């Protein structure tokens, strides 16, 4: 089993900054985390990728956040942080942590999700 614990989020004014963190915990040795990232879902819209980091080193960002958001590995083995700067009202939404996990007994990769944390950018 893989569990994702999110922290951060909240209310911020336009132009402000927030930091999201996600820590993954694993039970047993059958799980290998290959990548972690953040998705967001605004009201009435589909969930979209914000940023992801592959544990082999590559990163991927949505065009709308390039130059403003930075994803990084945390101190823990399976922790990622998302630094969000120059936040705008269109960044408002529920942010979900995601982990791409190779499950050995399934011989396939499975997506795990956190509960979500609200980010609201408003004056």
């Amino acid at each position: 089993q893989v569990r994702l614990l999110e922290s951060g989020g909240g209310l911020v004014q336009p132009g402000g900054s927030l930091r999201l963190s996600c820590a993954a915990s694993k039970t047993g040795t059958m799980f290998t985390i290959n990548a972690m990232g953040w998705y967001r879902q605004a009201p009435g819209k589909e969930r979209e990728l914000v940023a992801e980091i592959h544990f082999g080193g590559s990163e991927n960002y949505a065009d709308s956040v390039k130059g403003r958001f930075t994803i990084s590995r945390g101190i823990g083995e399976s922790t990622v942080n998302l630094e969000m700067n120059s936040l705008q009202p269109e960044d408002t939404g529920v942010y979900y942590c995601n982990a791409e996990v190779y499950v050995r007994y399934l011989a396939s990769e499975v997506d795990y999700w956190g509960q979500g944390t609200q980010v609201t950018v408003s004056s």
Side-chain angles (χ1 to χ4, degrees):
Q1 185 68 285
V2 176
R3 296 180 185 272
L4 302 179
L5 180 61
E6 302 153 329
S7 61
L11 173 64
V12 65
Q13 292 186 342
S17 299
L18 282 175
R19 184 174 187 260
L20 304 180
S21 293
C22 178
S25 60
K26 300 182 291 179
T27 303
T29 60
M30 301 297 287
F31 306 95
T32 301
I33 299 176
N34 292 328
M36 291 181 70
W38 290 92
Y39 286 68
R40 69 186 178 193
Q41 188 165 19
K45 295 188 177 181
E46 294 187 354
R47 192 175 297 188
E48 62 175 357
L49 173 69
V50 176
E52 65 180 352
I53 184 166
H54 293 264
F55 285 11
S58 64
E59 300 168 12
N60 186 32
Y61 294 91
D63 288 341
S64 61
V65 306
K66 285 180 180 177
R68 300 188 298 125
F69 291 12
T70 302
I71 191 168
S72 62
R73 297 278 299 275
I75 296 175
E77 177 185 346
S78 302
T79 302
V80 291
N81 301 312
L82 183 68
E83 300 284 347
M84 305 185 293
N85 298 313
S86 301
L87 283 161
Q88 300 301 319
E90 52 265 34
D91 294 315
T92 294
V94 179
Y95 283 66
Y96 297 90
C97 180
N98 167 267
E100 297 175 6
V101 181
Y102 180 77
V103 182
R104 198 173 305 170
Y105 60 84
L106 296 176
S108 65
E109 198 168 77
V110 176
D111 278 321
Y112 286 84
W113 295 92
Q115 297 277 2
T117 184
Q118 178 69 44
V119 171
T120 302
V121 185
S122 175
S123 55

